[in-house]
Each structure stands twice: as C-alpha cells, then as structure tokens.
Amino acid sequence: MPSFPEPVQTLYVNALQHEQAADWGAAGACYEQAVKLVTDSPELWARYGQLLGRKGVRNSDGHIGLAAFSRAAKCPATTAEELYWRGVGALLNDGDGDSRRDLAASLALDPTRADAWYRFAEALETPSAYVSPDDYDASPEGQARRLAAYDQALALNPTNDWYRVRRGRFHLLHDRLDEALADLDAALLHQTYYHAAELRAVTRFLRHDFRGALQDFRTSSWRGLEGDWREARVEYVIKYPDKRQPSPVQRWNDALALFELTGLREPTSAKYLSERAHYFLKHDAPVRALADAEATVALRPGHAPYRELRVACQQAQATPDFAALLTDCEWLLEALRPRATRSKRTDNPGSLRSQAIDQALSRRARYGYYAAWAHFRLGRPEQALAHFAAATDRPPEEPRRDRGRMSGEWSPYSLGIGDVKYLPPPVFDTEYLRWQLEHQLAQEVTDPERQRTINEWLLAAAQVLNVPELAQAMEQYRDLWVPAGHYYGYARADAVAKALTQYLVGMQQPLYKTVFAQLYRGILRSELRDAQNRPDASAEQCRAALDHYEARIADYSAK
C-alpha cells in the first residue's frame, strides 16, 4: 500500500473500504478530497477516474469525464506501482500518455502483477479511449504478444473470470471459435457476464448449437430473449476472419437458414413478435415481417405502436393491401386524436408536454397522408383529397404560428406541421405523386401555415419522383411563394426571373407540363401579392401590378 501524508492516507484507506462495500459515492468523495491535497499521484487520479466512470457517481461539480485519467497519465512515475497507474490513466483517457510504454515498464520492474499483464494485453488492442484503426497489431507476432499477456495474467490469477472473458473475446475477434468457446464456458461457470453470454451466443450459433445460442441470447439481456437477436453484427465480433473460410456474415446467414429448418420454437409474446417484425422489415423480408405484425396486433389490438408497425409492413409489400392499410391508418387517426387535441397549448414550446403534442400532431399527419394514398389507390379521389387536406391542417384547438403577421413581412425559412420529408408514400408511386402535385398546385389555400406544409410535402414528392428539373422548380416555388396579405422580406427579382424561365422550359415535358404551368402561375400570383402588399406601395403601383400580372396569370391558367 502506498504511503501518503495525512490526511490523504486516511482518505485513501477510507476510499478503498468504501469501494469494497460498493459505496461508490462515498469512495468518490474521498478521492475528490485526496487529489486536491496530493495532485501528482497517478494512483489517486486513476482510481478517482475509475469511480467517476461508474453510473450515477459524480464529483461535487457534477462532472463525469476523462479528465481524471488524463491527469493520471501526466503524473511523474518511477516505481512499478506508479508506472502501472500512469499506464492505466493513459489507457482510459482519450490520448494523453503512452499506456503500452508505461505498462511494459511497470512489468519490467515487477512481472508478478496479474492486473498489469491484463491491462497490457488490453493496451495492445487499444492504447487509449480514442480508438484508431492503426493502433491494433493484427500480425501473427502482434497476436502472439497479446495472447501471451492474457496467458500470463491468468497464470498469475487463474480464478479471474473476467480475464477469461477478455481472452475469449480476443480469440473470437480472430475467428478462433474453439478457443473462444473454451474461455467463455469457463468464465460463465461461476458468474453471469452479459457481454460474455452474448459473445458465446454468437460463437454457439456459428457452430450450429442453436438451443445453446438462444439460451445465451436470453441471458445476455436483462429483458430476456429479444426478437432482434438475429441482428448480431457478427462482422464486428469477428474483425479478423480466417481467410480459409467464408466470411463471418456468410456463415451467419447460412446458420440462420439452418436454424429456420430446425423448427425450434421462439417466444410468441407481442413484444418479441414486434421486435422480430422490425428485424425482418429491416432485412428485406416484408412478408415475414407482416405475418409477425399481424400476430402482434391480434395480441394487442389497442396498442398504437403495433398498428404503426403493421402499417410499415403493409407498405413494404410488393402489392400492399390498401383496404387493410386504410383501416389501420384511420384507426391511428382516431387513437392519436386525444393526444393531439387534448387542450390548447399554453406550455413553453420546449416543454415535454409541448413536444408530446408536436409528436402526436406529426404522427397523425403521417397517417393522414398514408390514408390519402390508400383512398387514391382504392379509386376514391375525393376522399384522398379530403384526407390530404386534413393532414396538412392543425386541429381547431391548436394555436397557429403567426410569424410575421404584424408587419406582413414573409420569410420562407420555417416548416409548417412537423418534418414532412418522409411523408410521401414509401412505395414509389409516380401516378399518385403527379396527381397530388397537379391538384395541390391548382388550389388557393388561405392559411399560410397550411400552404407552407403543402409546399414542403410537394417538394418532397418532387424529389421522390427523381426528376431533377422538377425538384429544383418546386424548391424555387417553396422559397418564392408569398401568402395573401404578405410581402417578401428579401430582394427576389433575379430569383423570380430565373424560376419563371425554368418553368417555361419545364412545360416542354409532356408528363409534367401541367405541373410546370401551375408553378408558373403560382409565382406570378405571389409576385402580384408581393407588389400589392408592400408598405410603400401606392394605389397606382398596385393597379399597375394587377394589370401587369392578371393577363399572364390567365394565360397560364389555361395551359
């Protein structure tokens, strides 16, 4: 035990006792006082840093970070003990010090410390908390050096199961499944390590021990077996694969295919099935995803997230069942209504309640858009337009965002209801998107916030159609559009001239001629409003603007 001047020695002893009793807060308080009195001890700083890394432990300033380890890495050190703790500080901070140098020097002075060999083995993988691909030596010589360090640590402390876990991980990292399994089996005989159970689950699955793998996946999570256990990301578990075998991902996929043939039963809870549905949806298996989503909703029909999952799965089908999709969307519109319209918003815009209202409004809008699409595909255009209109409007109870209405100045740089860039149909549907573009651009909406939202949706639709000229034209329209009673707050003559020229060129495309003509007309109307609503506009100027634009608007309304 090191010797410090009083009262630091007492603080140090008390801290160790608190650590043994798992009273991390009391131990941290002792170390915090000690490092203020002795500022150049790598052990005090490193031990303090280890405590600050524990969940819920804070110093008196409320900070948790790498600063204590950084201080340890900068302390003077000459003895094996000091070099060890300075090496630990360098290993656990983000770049100060040299953990490999200090730990090797400590071992040269005292090769009997098991923890120094273990830390040295870890430093040979990542010498600091900042990980660089160049830090790791994957050569046979580098592997042998690291394995020898793990072996020596276990030779000096053969009952330390954590050393075995880390050596097993090292073997698995290099695709040595037999050696990895031996270490993980030995470690898990005496204690449950979530990380070790997960590593053994992957190892067992690759060796086609499916029952054992599922048991380990169940053990590796405090929530039990999760439906997305197939998402093992094996390419990160085996970073340096054996080149004589197929890739880890290929072997994992082959093992999954064999697993499906075994008929092993998986849990049938709604939670598990929903997680598995998410996995299948992510991995391009929409039919299986929908089957799980159907079963999930059957178990809990009143749970909105499961209905939303079924909507996503239905949309991913090669040919969606639009009647079923519409049923779920309309159910969600009703289920989410109380959250979105419970009462008028009086909270601070950043409050949790206000955020919850915004989220509910956004979700309702999403399913309104999807319901519009479903109605269109079911041959009900009027209902499609009605749902779209409802989706772009806020409920009566929700106050408007009247930006700039006192002065009349208008800025285009804010959205309406939520983020609409993901709201066009997830299935590429050129006919529907073009139809909505034509219908929405043909109408005049009096509410600026609603029109702003429509413009954002139309821009997203134009981008989905993947017609660069149309997407650019719609972006110009969104930025140049001016609502009734407003005028534009920026110089815009050059931008308007450029947009109108582009719209004229776009009218040469037969498929989108109507859309470009409507864009042209809409900008002319915005220009008229801009000219008439300026505070300095005289009656004569307003009449001149009307005469100038009316004829052009009428001309392009007929196109």
Side-chain angles (χ1 to χ4, degrees):
M1 178 178 290
S3 177
F4 298 106
E6 290 293 348
V8 176
Q9 186 68 24
T10 299
L11 289 168
Y12 174 75
V13 172
N14 289 342
L16 294 179
Q17 293 173 347
H18 288 314
E19 285 190 77
Q20 290 177 348
D23 188 351
W24 313 119
C30 290
Y31 284 126
E32 184 176 1
Q33 295 179 59
V35 295
K36 291 177 181 177
L37 299 171
V38 175
T39 61
D40 61 351
S41 167
E43 179 177 356
L44 290 178
W45 280 112
R47 286 186 179 277
Y48 185 35
Q50 288 177 323
L51 277 171
L52 289 177
R54 286 188 173 275
K55 184 178 180 181
V57 179
R58 297 175 180 269
N59 64 15
S60 60
D61 297 325
H63 296 292
I64 293 178
L66 303 175
F69 289 127
S70 182
R71 291 291 298 271
K74 295 175 182 177
C75 289
T78 55
T79 68
E81 186 77 3
E82 290 171 339
L83 286 164
Y84 167 77
W85 285 108
R86 189 169 75 177
V88 170
L91 177 65
L92 298 176
N93 85 83
D94 59 359
D96 288 319
D98 187 331
S99 61
R100 292 172 179 172
R101 177 201 63 197
D102 286 342
L103 290 167
S106 175
L107 288 167
L109 294 173
D110 179 11
T112 64
R113 182 167 187 158
D115 205 40
W117 284 105
Y118 161 69
R119 296 285 192 184
F120 183 55
E122 297 287 292
L124 289 174
E125 178 181 5
T126 51
S128 71
Y130 175 78
V131 179
S132 168
D134 298 329
D135 288 337
Y136 188 72
D137 185 359
S139 68
E141 296 78 15
Q143 290 185 54
R145 188 182 183 200
R146 189 174 173 207
L147 179 58
Y150 280 125
D151 290 345
Q152 188 62 26
L154 279 162
L156 292 168
N157 187 358
T159 62
N160 192 305
D161 289 326
W162 184 245
Y163 294 172
R164 293 190 188 280
V165 171
R166 297 301 290 175
R167 189 173 68 177
R169 174 187 172 275
F170 167 69
H171 283 308
L172 190 54
L173 194 72
H174 291 275
D175 210 355
R176 294 190 288 269
L177 301 189
D178 292 342
E179 293 89 335
L181 189 59
D183 271 339
L184 296 170
D185 280 345
L188 289 167
L189 277 175
H190 310 108
Q191 187 172 346
T192 297
Y193 296 97
Y194 291 140
H195 179 57
E198 184 177 8
L199 294 177
R200 190 171 69 174
V202 172
T203 308
R204 282 177 160 177
F205 202 84
L206 287 171
R207 290 163 56 90
H208 302 166
D209 176 7
F210 300 131
R211 291 184 186 277
L214 289 183
Q215 181 58 48
D216 278 338
F217 276 125
R218 182 177 290 106
T219 302
S220 69
S221 171
W222 63 271
R223 295 183 298 176
L225 184 63
E226 299 179 38
D228 61 351
W229 61 263
R230 292 168 172 81
E231 189 74 83
R233 300 177 71 82
V234 69
E235 66 273 21
Y236 295 102
V237 178
I238 303 176
K239 287 188 178 179
Y240 306 97
D242 185 343
K243 300 297 185 183
R244 297 167 297 179
Q245 300 188 64
S247 73
V249 172
Q250 181 60 52
R251 280 181 279 156
W252 182 261
N253 290 336
D254 291 344
L256 281 174
L258 285 175
F259 170 78
E260 300 295 343
L261 298 175
T262 64
L264 285 174
R265 291 178 59 83
E266 297 181 60
T268 56
S269 68
K271 174 181 172 296
Y272 183 89
L273 292 172
S274 70
E275 292 167 347
R276 192 171 68 180
H278 277 293
Y279 169 83
F280 286 136
L281 191 60
K282 180 180 177 181
H283 289 271
D284 300 322
V287 175
R288 292 197 64 181
L290 181 58
D292 279 348
E294 296 279 12
T296 300
V297 173
L299 290 168
R300 292 192 62 187
H303 191 50
Y306 293 164
R307 293 272 187 163
E308 292 178 284
L309 172 61
R310 188 163 70 175
V311 166
C313 293
Q314 189 63 254
Q315 290 171 332
Q317 303 305 305
T319 305
D321 182 341
F322 287 102
L325 177 64
L326 180 60
T327 298
D328 275 337
C329 287
E330 292 186 332
W331 186 95
L332 286 163
L333 287 170
E334 286 303 313
L336 295 172
R337 184 187 302 276
R339 300 181 187 179
T341 63
R342 185 179 297 117
S343 63
K344 288 187 177 181
R345 186 202 307 269
T346 57
D347 309 57
N348 183 298
S351 70
L352 291 177
R353 181 176 179 274
S354 185
Q355 292 175 23
I357 292 173
D358 281 339
Q359 185 182 45
L361 287 167
S362 179
R363 288 166 72 193
R364 289 197 79 241
R366 176 183 301 117
Y367 297 112
Y369 290 128
Y370 293 164
W373 177 47
H375 274 300
F376 175 81
R377 280 293 152 211
L378 291 169
R380 305 165 186 165
E382 292 183 2
Q383 291 94 322
L385 291 173
H387 271 82
F388 187 95
T392 58
D393 199 11
R394 283 181 176 268
E397 297 86 348
E398 181 65 12
R400 305 290 172 180
R401 303 175 183 179
D402 297 337
R403 297 184 183 88
R405 290 199 179 188
M406 293 301 292
S407 66
E409 185 174 317
W410 179 256
S411 170
Y413 303 111
S414 60
L415 295 182
I417 301 175
D419 183 353
V420 300
K421 64 183 178 181
Y422 298 114
L423 296 185
V427 177
F428 189 71
D429 192 336
T430 303
E431 182 184 5
Y432 173 71
L433 295 176
R434 190 174 70 249
W435 178 80
Q436 279 289 16
L437 277 165
E438 293 177 357
H439 277 78
Q440 299 307 322
L441 288 170
Q443 66 178 347
E444 287 287 325
V445 174
T446 58
D447 177 17
E449 285 294 327
R450 184 176 165 215
Q451 185 62 55
R452 193 199 304 262
T453 301
I454 292 172
N455 289 348
E456 288 291 341
W457 191 96
L458 295 178
L459 172 58
Q463 291 169 338
V464 169
L465 285 169
N466 199 25
V467 180
E469 300 86 353
L470 180 60
Q472 185 180 359
M474 193 60 229
E475 185 173 7
Q476 292 169 326
Y477 180 83
R478 177 200 63 179
D479 293 344
L480 294 171
W481 177 82
V482 176
H486 291 68
Y487 62 91
Y488 206 82
Y490 305 90
R492 57 188 264 137
D494 291 343
V496 168
K498 181 180 178 181
L500 293 175
T501 299
Q502 185 167 335
Y503 298 163
L504 287 172
V505 173
M507 288 181 213
Q508 306 308 310
Q509 298 188 38
L511 194 60
Y512 295 104
K513 177 181 178 180
T514 301
V515 173
F516 279 103
Q518 289 166 333
L519 290 171
Y520 194 102
R521 184 195 63 189
I523 290 301
L524 290 177
R525 284 180 171 169
S526 286
E527 279 293 273
L528 175 58
R529 289 192 286 266
D530 180 65
Q532 291 178 319
N533 294 324
R534 290 191 169 277
D536 57 351
S538 65
E540 292 180 358
Q541 289 173 323
C542 290
R543 282 196 300 271
L546 185 62
D547 292 341
H548 177 71
Y549 288 111
E550 266 197 332
R552 298 172 68 188
I553 292 171
D555 180 37
Y556 284 96
S557 295
K559 290 186 181 295

